[in-house]
Amino acid sequence: GHYISVDTSYEGEKAVLSSPELYSEEWSCVRLIYQIATTSEASLDPTRLNLYLRQEGESFDRLLWSAKEPSDSWLIASLDLMNSTKKYRIVLEGEMGQDKSASIAVFEIKITPGYCIECDFEENHLCGFMNRWNPNVNWFVGGGNIRNSQSILPKDHTLNSELGHYMYVDSVYVKHFQEVAQLISPKTTAPMSGCLSFYYQLKQESSIVFTVYLRDTSGFYEEIWKTDSALSADWALAEVDFNAPYPMEVIFEVAFNSAKGGYVALDDISFSPVYCSNQTGTPFNPAQAGCNFEEDLCNFYQDHKDGPGWSRVKVKRNVYRAGDHTTGFGYYLLANTKFTSQPGYIGRLYGPTLPGNLQFCLRFYYALYGFFKMSGTLAVYIFEENHVVQEKIWSVLDSPKGVWTEAEISFKKPMPCKVVFVSWCKSFWDCGLVALDDISLSLGSCQAADLSLPNPGECTFEKDECVFTQKKRGRGSWHRRRGPTPTSYTGPKGDHTTGVG
Protein backbone atom coordinates (compact mmCIF):
# COMPACT_ATOMS: atom_id res chain seq x y z
CA GLY A 1 0.00 0.00 0.00
CA HIS A 2 0.93 3.67 -0.29
CA TYR A 3 1.32 6.38 2.33
CA ILE A 4 2.13 10.09 2.25
CA SER A 5 5.06 11.60 4.11
CA VAL A 6 7.04 14.75 4.68
CA ASP A 7 10.69 14.89 5.69
CA THR A 8 13.34 17.39 6.81
CA SER A 9 14.31 18.69 3.43
CA TYR A 10 11.78 21.30 4.60
CA GLU A 11 13.49 21.96 7.94
CA GLY A 12 11.60 24.43 10.12
CA GLU A 13 8.71 24.61 7.65
CA LYS A 14 5.17 23.30 7.90
CA ALA A 15 3.62 20.89 5.43
CA VAL A 16 -0.15 21.30 5.18
CA LEU A 17 -2.67 18.89 3.69
CA SER A 18 -6.31 19.92 3.50
CA SER A 19 -9.35 17.68 2.99
CA PRO A 20 -12.16 18.50 0.56
CA GLU A 21 -15.16 20.30 2.04
CA LEU A 22 -17.01 17.90 4.34
CA TYR A 23 -20.43 17.91 5.92
CA SER A 24 -22.01 15.68 8.53
CA GLU A 25 -25.01 16.48 10.68
CA GLU A 26 -24.44 13.40 12.85
CA TRP A 27 -21.46 12.56 15.08
CA SER A 28 -18.58 11.04 13.16
CA CYS A 29 -15.19 9.56 13.93
CA VAL A 30 -11.88 10.51 12.31
CA ARG A 31 -9.26 7.74 12.37
CA LEU A 32 -5.72 8.53 11.49
CA ILE A 33 -2.98 5.92 11.06
CA TYR A 34 0.36 7.66 11.30
CA GLN A 35 4.00 7.39 12.29
CA ILE A 36 6.58 9.94 13.44
CA ALA A 37 10.20 8.85 12.99
CA THR A 38 13.01 10.83 14.63
CA THR A 39 16.56 9.96 15.60
CA SER A 40 17.41 12.57 18.21
CA GLU A 41 15.99 12.44 21.71
CA ALA A 42 13.48 15.06 22.86
CA SER A 43 14.52 18.40 21.40
CA LEU A 44 13.16 21.81 22.30
CA ASP A 45 11.52 22.02 18.91
CA PRO A 46 10.15 18.52 18.26
CA THR A 47 8.66 17.15 15.06
CA ARG A 48 4.87 17.30 15.38
CA LEU A 49 1.76 16.15 13.58
CA ASN A 50 -1.30 18.36 14.16
CA LEU A 51 -4.88 17.87 13.08
CA TYR A 52 -7.15 20.93 12.82
CA LEU A 53 -10.84 21.46 12.18
CA ARG A 54 -11.46 24.39 9.82
CA GLN A 55 -15.12 25.37 10.13
CA GLU A 56 -16.90 27.49 7.59
CA GLY A 57 -17.12 31.12 8.66
CA GLU A 58 -14.58 30.88 11.49
CA SER A 59 -11.36 32.85 11.49
CA PHE A 60 -9.21 30.31 13.39
CA ASP A 61 -8.54 26.63 12.81
CA ARG A 62 -9.37 24.60 15.94
CA LEU A 63 -6.65 22.17 17.02
CA LEU A 64 -8.32 18.79 17.58
CA TRP A 65 -5.26 16.65 18.19
CA SER A 66 -1.47 16.85 18.24
CA ALA A 67 1.27 14.20 18.54
CA LYS A 68 5.04 14.33 18.81
CA GLU A 69 5.95 10.89 20.25
CA PRO A 70 8.24 9.04 17.83
CA SER A 71 7.43 5.39 17.18
CA ASP A 72 8.81 2.37 15.29
CA SER A 73 5.39 1.26 14.13
CA TRP A 74 2.14 2.70 12.84
CA LEU A 75 -0.06 4.27 15.53
CA ILE A 76 -3.76 4.97 15.40
CA ALA A 77 -5.58 8.08 16.66
CA SER A 78 -9.38 8.18 16.99
CA LEU A 79 -11.11 11.55 17.33
CA ASP A 80 -14.80 12.24 17.81
CA LEU A 81 -16.30 15.02 15.67
CA MET A 82 -19.47 16.37 17.26
CA ASN A 83 -22.51 16.99 15.08
CA SER A 84 -22.60 20.42 13.49
CA THR A 85 -24.63 22.20 10.86
CA LYS A 86 -21.52 23.88 9.40
CA LYS A 87 -19.39 22.63 6.55
CA TYR A 88 -15.79 21.94 7.53
CA ARG A 89 -12.39 20.77 6.36
CA ILE A 90 -9.87 18.58 8.14
CA VAL A 91 -6.35 20.04 7.96
CA LEU A 92 -3.25 17.93 8.63
CA GLU A 93 -0.10 19.85 9.48
CA GLY A 94 3.42 18.42 9.75
CA GLU A 95 5.89 20.60 11.69
CA MET A 96 9.42 19.50 10.95
CA GLY A 97 11.22 21.01 13.95
CA GLN A 98 15.02 20.96 14.20
CA ASP A 99 15.73 17.24 13.85
CA LYS A 100 17.92 16.67 10.80
CA SER A 101 16.47 13.26 9.92
CA ALA A 102 12.84 13.28 11.04
CA SER A 103 9.87 12.25 8.96
CA ILE A 104 6.11 12.08 9.38
CA ALA A 105 4.02 9.56 7.46
CA VAL A 106 0.25 9.10 7.21
CA PHE A 107 -1.02 5.74 6.01
CA GLU A 108 -4.77 6.21 6.24
CA ILE A 109 -7.29 8.84 7.19
CA LYS A 110 -10.89 7.80 7.37
CA ILE A 111 -14.05 9.51 8.55
CA THR A 112 -16.86 7.15 9.50
CA PRO A 113 -20.35 7.95 10.78
CA GLY A 114 -20.94 7.14 14.45
CA TYR A 115 -18.83 7.40 17.60
CA CYS A 116 -15.17 6.31 17.92
CA ILE A 117 -16.10 4.00 20.77
CA GLU A 118 -18.27 1.88 18.47
CA CYS A 119 -16.78 -1.17 16.74
CA ASP A 120 -17.82 -4.29 14.85
CA PHE A 121 -14.19 -5.56 14.54
CA GLU A 122 -14.46 -6.01 10.77
CA GLU A 123 -11.64 -3.55 9.98
CA ASN A 124 -7.94 -4.40 10.28
CA HIS A 125 -7.24 -1.64 12.76
CA LEU A 126 -10.04 -2.83 15.14
CA CYS A 127 -11.24 0.79 15.50
CA GLY A 128 -8.23 1.59 17.66
CA PHE A 129 -9.17 -0.95 20.37
CA MET A 130 -6.00 -2.37 21.97
CA ASN A 131 -5.28 -5.59 23.86
CA ARG A 132 -3.16 -4.99 26.97
CA TRP A 133 -0.56 -7.67 26.41
CA ASN A 134 -0.31 -10.42 29.02
CA PRO A 135 2.04 -13.44 28.60
CA ASN A 136 -0.80 -15.89 29.23
CA VAL A 137 -4.27 -14.59 28.36
CA ASN A 138 -5.12 -12.04 25.68
CA TRP A 139 -7.95 -10.86 23.52
CA PHE A 140 -7.66 -12.21 19.95
CA VAL A 141 -9.53 -11.56 16.72
CA GLY A 142 -11.72 -14.51 15.86
CA GLY A 143 -13.63 -15.49 12.74
CA GLY A 144 -12.92 -14.54 9.17
CA ASN A 145 -12.87 -18.20 8.10
CA ILE A 146 -9.23 -18.14 7.05
CA ARG A 147 -7.41 -21.38 7.74
CA ASN A 148 -4.86 -19.87 10.07
CA SER A 149 -7.33 -17.71 11.98
CA GLN A 150 -8.50 -18.88 15.34
CA SER A 151 -12.21 -19.52 15.46
CA ILE A 152 -13.96 -20.64 18.60
CA LEU A 153 -17.42 -19.70 17.31
CA PRO A 154 -19.20 -20.75 14.11
CA LYS A 155 -20.57 -17.24 13.44
CA ASP A 156 -19.92 -13.64 14.43
CA HIS A 157 -22.76 -11.26 15.39
CA THR A 158 -22.31 -8.48 12.81
CA LEU A 159 -22.68 -10.53 9.62
CA ASN A 160 -24.05 -13.64 11.34
CA SER A 161 -21.64 -15.67 9.24
CA GLU A 162 -18.33 -17.48 9.50
CA LEU A 163 -16.73 -14.65 7.49
CA GLY A 164 -17.37 -12.00 10.14
CA HIS A 165 -15.00 -11.09 12.95
CA TYR A 166 -15.33 -10.75 16.71
CA MET A 167 -12.97 -10.50 19.70
CA TYR A 168 -12.52 -13.37 22.13
CA VAL A 169 -10.46 -14.45 25.10
CA ASP A 170 -9.92 -18.12 25.92
CA SER A 171 -8.77 -19.75 29.15
CA VAL A 172 -6.61 -22.39 27.45
CA TYR A 173 -3.35 -20.63 28.28
CA VAL A 174 -4.18 -19.61 31.83
CA LYS A 175 -1.21 -20.42 34.11
CA HIS A 176 -2.23 -18.76 37.37
CA PHE A 177 -5.41 -18.00 39.21
CA GLN A 178 -7.00 -14.65 38.50
CA GLU A 179 -5.34 -14.10 35.13
CA VAL A 180 -6.79 -10.98 33.53
CA ALA A 181 -7.18 -10.00 29.86
CA GLN A 182 -8.06 -6.39 29.03
CA LEU A 183 -9.39 -4.92 25.80
CA ILE A 184 -9.11 -1.10 25.91
CA SER A 185 -11.15 1.30 23.79
CA PRO A 186 -9.74 4.50 22.30
CA LYS A 187 -10.09 7.48 24.69
CA THR A 188 -13.20 9.58 24.28
CA THR A 189 -12.27 13.04 22.98
CA ALA A 190 -15.61 14.84 23.44
CA PRO A 191 -18.07 14.77 26.37
CA MET A 192 -20.72 12.10 25.84
CA SER A 193 -23.40 10.32 27.82
CA GLY A 194 -25.99 7.74 26.87
CA CYS A 195 -26.29 4.00 26.40
CA LEU A 196 -23.32 1.72 25.63
CA SER A 197 -24.36 -1.67 24.29
CA PHE A 198 -22.50 -4.76 23.10
CA TYR A 199 -23.09 -8.43 22.32
CA TYR A 200 -21.24 -11.17 24.13
CA GLN A 201 -21.09 -14.96 24.46
CA LEU A 202 -19.85 -16.69 27.55
CA LYS A 203 -19.07 -20.38 27.98
CA GLN A 204 -17.73 -21.40 31.35
CA GLU A 205 -16.95 -24.48 33.32
CA SER A 206 -15.52 -22.66 36.29
CA SER A 207 -16.22 -19.08 37.23
CA ILE A 208 -15.35 -16.38 34.72
CA VAL A 209 -15.68 -12.75 35.75
CA PHE A 210 -16.44 -10.48 32.78
CA THR A 211 -16.46 -6.80 33.80
CA VAL A 212 -16.66 -3.46 32.00
CA TYR A 213 -14.86 -0.47 33.55
CA LEU A 214 -14.41 3.21 32.82
CA ARG A 215 -10.89 4.53 33.37
CA ASP A 216 -10.09 8.25 33.43
CA THR A 217 -6.73 9.88 32.66
CA SER A 218 -5.64 9.69 36.32
CA GLY A 219 -6.06 5.91 36.21
CA PHE A 220 -9.22 5.68 38.38
CA TYR A 221 -11.33 2.62 37.52
CA GLU A 222 -15.10 2.64 37.87
CA GLU A 223 -17.03 -0.58 37.33
CA ILE A 224 -20.13 -0.01 35.20
CA TRP A 225 -21.23 -3.56 34.30
CA LYS A 226 -20.61 -7.19 35.31
CA THR A 227 -22.02 -10.50 34.01
CA ASP A 228 -24.39 -12.43 36.12
CA SER A 229 -23.24 -16.01 36.10
CA ALA A 230 -25.89 -17.22 33.62
CA LEU A 231 -24.48 -18.95 30.53
CA SER A 232 -25.20 -17.52 27.13
CA ALA A 233 -24.65 -20.06 24.39
CA ASP A 234 -25.93 -17.51 21.91
CA TRP A 235 -25.08 -13.83 21.48
CA ALA A 236 -26.57 -11.88 24.40
CA LEU A 237 -27.14 -8.12 24.41
CA ALA A 238 -25.73 -6.06 27.29
CA GLU A 239 -26.73 -2.42 27.83
CA VAL A 240 -25.26 -0.02 30.34
CA ASP A 241 -25.69 3.69 31.10
CA PHE A 242 -22.49 5.46 30.20
CA ASN A 243 -21.33 8.92 31.24
CA ALA A 244 -17.99 10.35 30.08
CA PRO A 245 -17.91 14.12 30.70
CA TYR A 246 -14.09 14.10 30.30
CA PRO A 247 -11.66 11.74 28.48
CA MET A 248 -12.29 8.09 29.44
CA GLU A 249 -11.40 4.64 28.16
CA VAL A 250 -13.78 1.71 28.29
CA ILE A 251 -12.08 -1.51 29.43
CA PHE A 252 -13.51 -4.96 28.79
CA GLU A 253 -11.86 -7.23 31.34
CA VAL A 254 -12.08 -11.00 31.69
CA ALA A 255 -10.68 -12.82 34.74
CA PHE A 256 -10.33 -16.62 34.84
CA ASN A 257 -9.91 -18.93 37.78
CA SER A 258 -8.56 -21.96 35.93
CA ALA A 259 -7.43 -23.26 32.54
CA LYS A 260 -10.72 -25.09 32.10
CA GLY A 261 -12.54 -21.81 32.43
CA GLY A 262 -14.09 -21.51 28.98
CA TYR A 263 -14.19 -18.36 26.85
CA VAL A 264 -15.78 -14.96 26.38
CA ALA A 265 -16.52 -13.44 22.94
CA LEU A 266 -17.43 -9.81 22.22
CA ASP A 267 -18.88 -8.09 19.14
CA ASP A 268 -20.77 -5.01 17.90
CA ILE A 269 -20.04 -2.38 20.52
CA SER A 270 -22.35 0.58 19.89
CA PHE A 271 -23.41 3.80 21.55
CA SER A 272 -26.57 5.89 21.58
CA PRO A 273 -26.84 9.38 23.13
CA VAL A 274 -30.08 8.35 24.88
CA TYR A 275 -29.76 6.54 28.24
CA CYS A 276 -30.75 2.84 28.11
CA SER A 277 -33.08 3.15 31.06
CA ASN A 278 -35.01 6.01 29.38
CA GLN A 279 -33.93 8.19 32.29
CA THR A 280 -33.22 11.77 31.37
CA GLY A 281 -30.56 12.88 33.79
CA THR A 282 -29.75 16.59 33.74
CA PRO A 283 -25.96 16.57 33.58
CA PHE A 284 -24.17 18.48 36.34
CA ASN A 285 -23.13 21.95 35.17
CA PRO A 286 -19.75 22.81 36.74
CA ALA A 287 -20.24 26.53 35.95
CA GLN A 288 -22.79 26.69 38.77
CA ALA A 289 -20.07 25.79 41.28
CA GLY A 290 -17.84 28.76 40.42
CA CYS A 291 -18.05 32.50 41.10
CA ASN A 292 -16.24 35.75 40.26
CA PHE A 293 -18.24 37.69 42.94
CA GLU A 294 -19.00 40.58 40.55
CA GLU A 295 -22.78 40.46 41.17
CA ASP A 296 -23.18 38.46 44.40
CA LEU A 297 -21.96 35.27 46.12
CA CYS A 298 -23.50 33.05 43.35
CA ASN A 299 -24.22 29.68 45.00
CA PHE A 300 -21.75 30.16 47.87
CA TYR A 301 -22.99 30.90 51.39
CA GLN A 302 -21.81 31.36 54.99
CA ASP A 303 -23.02 29.73 58.15
CA HIS A 304 -24.74 32.28 60.38
CA LYS A 305 -23.38 30.85 63.60
CA ASP A 306 -19.85 31.57 62.36
CA GLY A 307 -20.63 35.25 61.98
CA PRO A 308 -19.86 37.26 58.83
CA GLY A 309 -16.41 35.90 58.05
CA TRP A 310 -16.11 36.81 54.39
CA SER A 311 -17.19 40.20 53.01
CA ARG A 312 -17.66 41.15 49.36
CA VAL A 313 -15.52 44.26 48.80
CA LYS A 314 -14.23 46.50 46.04
CA VAL A 315 -11.06 48.59 46.25
CA LYS A 316 -9.60 51.29 44.04
CA ARG A 317 -6.40 50.17 42.39
CA ASN A 318 -3.21 52.13 42.93
CA VAL A 319 0.52 51.44 42.83
CA TYR A 320 0.42 49.92 46.33
CA ARG A 321 -2.40 47.47 45.86
CA ALA A 322 -4.05 45.45 43.12
CA GLY A 323 -7.79 45.48 42.52
CA ASP A 324 -9.82 42.29 42.16
CA HIS A 325 -8.48 39.48 39.97
CA THR A 326 -11.30 39.39 37.41
CA THR A 327 -11.01 42.86 35.91
CA GLY A 328 -8.99 44.93 38.40
CA PHE A 329 -12.05 47.11 39.07
CA GLY A 330 -14.56 44.57 40.36
CA TYR A 331 -15.45 42.74 43.56
CA TYR A 332 -13.71 39.99 45.52
CA LEU A 333 -14.08 38.37 48.94
CA LEU A 334 -12.05 39.50 51.92
CA ALA A 335 -11.80 37.67 55.28
CA ASN A 336 -10.47 38.76 58.68
CA THR A 337 -11.29 42.43 58.26
CA LYS A 338 -10.76 44.58 61.34
CA PHE A 339 -14.32 44.01 62.64
CA THR A 340 -14.06 40.24 62.83
CA SER A 341 -10.48 39.56 63.87
CA GLN A 342 -10.68 37.92 67.24
CA PRO A 343 -7.85 35.52 68.08
CA GLY A 344 -8.60 32.01 66.86
CA TYR A 345 -11.21 33.48 64.55
CA ILE A 346 -12.38 31.20 61.70
CA GLY A 347 -14.43 32.18 58.62
CA ARG A 348 -16.03 29.47 56.46
CA LEU A 349 -17.37 29.88 52.94
CA TYR A 350 -19.45 26.92 51.69
CA GLY A 351 -19.84 25.99 48.04
CA PRO A 352 -22.85 24.25 46.44
CA THR A 353 -23.34 20.46 46.62
CA LEU A 354 -21.29 18.47 44.07
CA PRO A 355 -22.31 15.01 42.84
CA GLY A 356 -20.21 12.01 43.91
CA ASN A 357 -18.01 9.81 41.75
CA LEU A 358 -16.86 12.52 39.35
CA GLN A 359 -13.34 13.84 38.96
CA PHE A 360 -13.14 17.61 39.57
CA CYS A 361 -10.55 20.33 39.09
CA LEU A 362 -10.98 23.29 41.45
CA ARG A 363 -9.15 26.54 40.62
CA PHE A 364 -9.20 29.82 42.53
CA TYR A 365 -7.09 32.91 43.17
CA TYR A 366 -6.03 34.15 46.58
CA ALA A 367 -3.91 37.00 47.95
CA LEU A 368 -2.59 37.41 51.50
CA TYR A 369 -1.69 40.66 53.24
CA GLY A 370 -0.18 41.44 56.63
CA PHE A 371 0.52 37.98 58.07
CA PHE A 372 3.91 37.17 59.61
CA LYS A 373 3.37 33.43 59.20
CA MET A 374 1.47 32.55 56.03
CA SER A 375 1.06 28.80 56.48
CA GLY A 376 -2.45 27.60 57.20
CA THR A 377 -4.09 31.04 57.01
CA LEU A 378 -6.27 29.81 54.14
CA ALA A 379 -7.32 26.17 53.70
CA VAL A 380 -9.79 24.20 51.58
CA TYR A 381 -11.84 21.36 53.07
CA ILE A 382 -14.23 18.82 51.57
CA PHE A 383 -17.39 18.27 53.64
CA GLU A 384 -19.38 15.16 52.78
CA GLU A 385 -23.13 15.74 52.72
CA ASN A 386 -23.75 14.60 56.29
CA HIS A 387 -21.03 17.08 57.45
CA VAL A 388 -19.56 14.28 59.54
CA VAL A 389 -16.56 13.62 57.35
CA GLN A 390 -14.37 16.58 56.55
CA GLU A 391 -11.03 16.37 54.86
CA LYS A 392 -8.45 19.09 54.32
CA ILE A 393 -7.35 18.95 50.67
CA TRP A 394 -5.24 22.11 50.42
CA SER A 395 -3.71 24.84 52.56
CA VAL A 396 -1.44 27.76 51.82
CA LEU A 397 2.23 27.26 52.70
CA ASP A 398 3.90 30.36 51.43
CA SER A 399 3.13 32.87 48.71
CA PRO A 400 4.26 36.32 47.55
CA LYS A 401 2.50 39.03 49.58
CA GLY A 402 -0.32 40.93 47.93
CA VAL A 403 -0.12 39.09 44.59
CA TRP A 404 -3.10 37.20 43.16
CA THR A 405 -1.83 33.60 43.11
CA GLU A 406 -3.61 30.67 41.47
CA ALA A 407 -4.23 27.40 43.31
CA GLU A 408 -5.52 24.25 41.65
CA ILE A 409 -6.69 21.03 43.27
CA SER A 410 -7.91 17.76 41.70
CA PHE A 411 -10.27 15.61 43.77
CA LYS A 412 -12.79 12.80 43.44
CA LYS A 413 -15.15 11.65 46.19
CA PRO A 414 -17.60 8.71 46.14
CA MET A 415 -20.30 10.68 48.00
CA PRO A 416 -21.88 14.07 47.23
CA CYS A 417 -19.81 16.78 48.92
CA LYS A 418 -19.16 20.51 49.32
CA VAL A 419 -16.00 22.56 49.00
CA VAL A 420 -15.41 24.86 52.01
CA PHE A 421 -12.89 27.75 52.09
CA VAL A 422 -11.63 28.40 55.62
CA SER A 423 -9.66 31.47 56.70
CA TRP A 424 -8.00 31.48 60.10
CA CYS A 425 -6.43 34.04 62.43
CA LYS A 426 -4.00 32.40 64.82
CA SER A 427 -3.66 35.31 67.23
CA PHE A 428 -4.60 38.93 67.62
CA TRP A 429 -1.00 39.91 66.79
CA ASP A 430 -0.75 37.83 63.62
CA CYS A 431 -4.01 38.41 61.81
CA GLY A 432 -3.83 39.70 58.25
CA LEU A 433 -6.23 39.81 55.33
CA VAL A 434 -7.17 36.88 53.10
CA ALA A 435 -8.59 37.72 49.66
CA LEU A 436 -10.36 35.21 47.37
CA ASP A 437 -11.60 35.60 43.78
CA ASP A 438 -12.51 33.78 40.56
CA ILE A 439 -13.37 30.31 41.89
CA SER A 440 -13.98 27.89 39.01
CA LEU A 441 -14.70 24.18 38.81
CA SER A 442 -14.27 21.93 35.80
CA LEU A 443 -14.79 18.22 35.17
CA GLY A 444 -11.71 16.02 34.86
CA SER A 445 -8.41 16.31 36.66
CA CYS A 446 -6.36 19.53 36.46
CA GLN A 447 -3.53 17.63 34.73
CA ALA A 448 -5.95 16.52 32.00
CA ALA A 449 -7.14 20.12 31.64
CA ASP A 450 -3.54 21.29 31.24
CA LEU A 451 -2.98 18.69 28.51
CA SER A 452 -6.15 19.70 26.69
CA LEU A 453 -5.66 21.72 23.56
CA PRO A 454 -5.76 25.52 23.79
CA ASN A 455 -8.46 27.52 22.08
CA PRO A 456 -7.14 29.13 18.90
CA GLY A 457 -5.81 32.63 19.45
CA GLU A 458 -5.48 32.19 23.23
CA CYS A 459 -2.11 32.33 24.99
CA THR A 460 -0.98 32.48 28.64
CA PHE A 461 2.75 32.77 27.77
CA GLU A 462 3.54 30.09 30.39
CA LYS A 463 5.44 27.80 28.00
CA ASP A 464 6.22 30.03 25.03
CA GLU A 465 4.63 32.68 22.83
CA CYS A 466 2.18 30.09 21.36
CA VAL A 467 1.67 31.02 17.71
CA PHE A 468 2.11 34.75 18.26
CA THR A 469 5.09 36.33 16.49
CA GLN A 470 6.45 39.86 16.52
CA LYS A 471 8.03 41.92 13.80
CA LYS A 472 11.51 42.85 15.05
CA ARG A 473 11.58 46.62 15.42
CA GLY A 474 14.68 47.43 17.44
CA ARG A 475 14.01 48.72 20.93
CA GLY A 476 10.25 48.44 20.99
CA SER A 477 10.07 44.66 21.24
CA TRP A 478 8.12 42.41 23.62
CA HIS A 479 9.93 40.27 26.23
CA ARG A 480 8.62 37.23 28.07
CA ARG A 481 9.34 37.51 31.81
CA ARG A 482 8.07 36.62 35.27
CA GLY A 483 7.79 38.51 38.57
CA PRO A 484 7.47 42.31 38.84
CA THR A 485 8.39 44.72 36.05
CA PRO A 486 12.06 45.82 36.21
CA THR A 487 11.31 49.40 37.32
CA SER A 488 9.21 49.97 40.42
CA TYR A 489 5.59 51.15 40.24
CA THR A 490 5.37 50.59 36.47
CA GLY A 491 3.40 47.39 36.37
CA PRO A 492 2.01 44.36 38.21
CA LYS A 493 3.88 42.42 40.91
CA GLY A 494 3.12 39.12 39.20
CA ASP A 495 1.55 37.70 36.05
CA HIS A 496 -2.22 37.31 35.67
CA THR A 497 -2.36 33.56 34.97
CA THR A 498 -1.02 32.14 38.24
CA GLY A 499 0.60 35.10 40.00
CA VAL A 500 4.03 33.49 39.72
CA GLY A 501 4.08 32.65 35.98
Side-chain angles (χ1 to χ4, degrees), residues 340-394:
T340 54
S341 54
Q342 304 102 20
Y345 162 77
I346 290 181
R348 292 188 186 88
L349 179 73
Y350 294 85
T353 301
L354 309 176
N357 232 356
L358 276 178
Q359 177 92 32
F360 292 109
C361 173
L362 172 70
R363 287 192 166 93
F364 58 91
Y365 289 84
Y366 67 93
L368 304 174
Y369 304 83
F371 286 99
F372 296 119
K373 288 204 180 76
M374 297 262 186
S375 63
T377 50
L378 175 65
V380 178
Y381 287 80
I382 295 283
F383 279 40
E384 283 197 5
E385 269 302 76
N386 50 19
H387 284 315
V388 178
V389 183
Q390 35 178 309
E391 179 194 348
K392 187 189 212 175
I393 56 171
W394 179 89

Side-chain angles (χ1 to χ4, degrees), residues 208-260:
I208 294 181
V209 185
F210 180 26
T211 319
V212 180
Y213 295 98
L214 290 183
R215 181 170 70 185
D216 64 23
T217 43
S218 326
F220 283 111
Y221 279 80
E222 182 192 345
E223 180 184 308
I224 56 172
W225 181 88
K226 198 178 209 153
T227 49
D228 41 21
S229 52
L231 291 180
S232 57
D234 200 17
W235 289 105
L237 172 65
E239 292 185 315
V240 56
D241 283 336
F242 171 86
N243 187 21
Y246 39 84
M248 299 258 201
E249 294 164 331
V250 181
I251 297 182
F252 294 87
E253 181 182 280
V254 176
F256 292 108
N257 278 337
S258 80
K260 294 195 199 56

Side-chain angles (χ1 to χ4, degrees), residues 34-288:
Y34 70 97
Q35 183 179 358
I36 298 174
T38 60
T39 48
S40 63
E41 288 307 302
S43 68
L44 288 171
D45 188 10
T47 303
R48 250 178 207 286
L49 177 59
N50 302 319
L51 190 125
Y52 294 91
L53 184 67
R54 179 173 293 173
Q55 277 195 320
E56 194 176 54
E58 296 214 346
S59 48
F60 286 108
D61 293 344
R62 186 163 291 280
L63 183 61
L64 284 185
W65 172 85
S66 175
K68 60 181 183 189
E69 286 71 38
S71 116
D72 300 337
S73 57
W74 294 100
L75 301 177
I76 178 166
S78 307
L79 306 154
D80 282 303
L81 285 184
M82 293 166 79
N83 48 350
S84 162
T85 50
K86 293 180 175 174
K87 293 180 178 151
Y88 65 93
R89 291 176 192 272
I90 296 281
V91 179
L92 270 179
E93 176 186 70
E95 290 185 59
M96 290 327 293
Q98 298 304 317
D99 189 337
K100 291 283 182 281
S101 56
S103 69
I104 301 174
V106 173
F107 178 64
E108 183 180 304
I109 179 163
K110 189 170 187 182
I111 302 175
T112 49
Y115 299 79
C116 290
I117 211 157
E118 301 185 290
C119 197
D120 59 11
F121 302 110
E122 297 306 322
E123 301 255 356
N124 287 341
H125 52 54
L126 304 181
C127 322
F129 276 75
M130 306 286 275
N131 167 62
R132 198 192 81 187
W133 197 80
N134 172 334
N136 300 321
V137 288
N138 288 287
W139 285 90
F140 292 108
V141 184
N145 196 20
I146 308 159
R147 285 211 185 94
N148 63 3
S149 97
Q150 318 236 352
S151 253
I152 53 167
L153 302 180
K155 292 178 176 178
D156 82 318
H157 182 266
T158 320
L159 308 175
N160 192 22
S161 90
E162 55 196 19
L163 295 171
H165 297 82
Y166 53 87
M167 298 301 290
Y168 76 96
V169 56
D170 197 337
S171 64
V172 177
Y173 305 109
V174 170
K175 300 276 197 304
H176 313 283
F177 285 132
Q178 284 300 323
E179 285 278 20
V180 166
Q182 286 191 338
L183 183 70
I184 301 170
S185 79
K187 256 197 195 77
T188 58
T189 55
M192 49 204 271
S193 59
C195 183
L196 182 73
S197 63
F198 54 92
Y199 285 86
Y200 71 99
Q201 279 197 37
L202 192 139
K203 175 177 181 286
Q204 62 179 3
E205 285 158 36
S206 70
S207 61
I208 294 181
V209 185
F210 180 26
T211 319
V212 180
Y213 295 98
L214 290 183
R215 181 170 70 185
D216 64 23
T217 43
S218 326
F220 283 111
Y221 279 80
E222 182 192 345
E223 180 184 308
I224 56 172
W225 181 88
K226 198 178 209 153
T227 49
D228 41 21
S229 52
L231 291 180
S232 57
D234 200 17
W235 289 105
L237 172 65
E239 292 185 315
V240 56
D241 283 336
F242 171 86
N243 187 21
Y246 39 84
M248 299 258 201
E249 294 164 331
V250 181
I251 297 182
F252 294 87
E253 181 182 280
V254 176
F256 292 108
N257 278 337
S258 80
K260 294 195 199 56
Y263 63 79
V264 172
L266 171 70
D267 204 358
D268 289 343
I269 300 166
S270 66
F271 175 78
S272 147
V274 182
Y275 284 113
C276 329
S277 47
N278 284 340
Q279 63 168 40
T280 47
T282 48
F284 169 72
N285 177 8
Q288 292 169 351

Side-chain angles (χ1 to χ4, degrees), residues 485-496:
T485 44
T487 44
S488 10
Y489 303 127
T490 59
K493 294 177 182 169
D495 85 312
H496 184 265

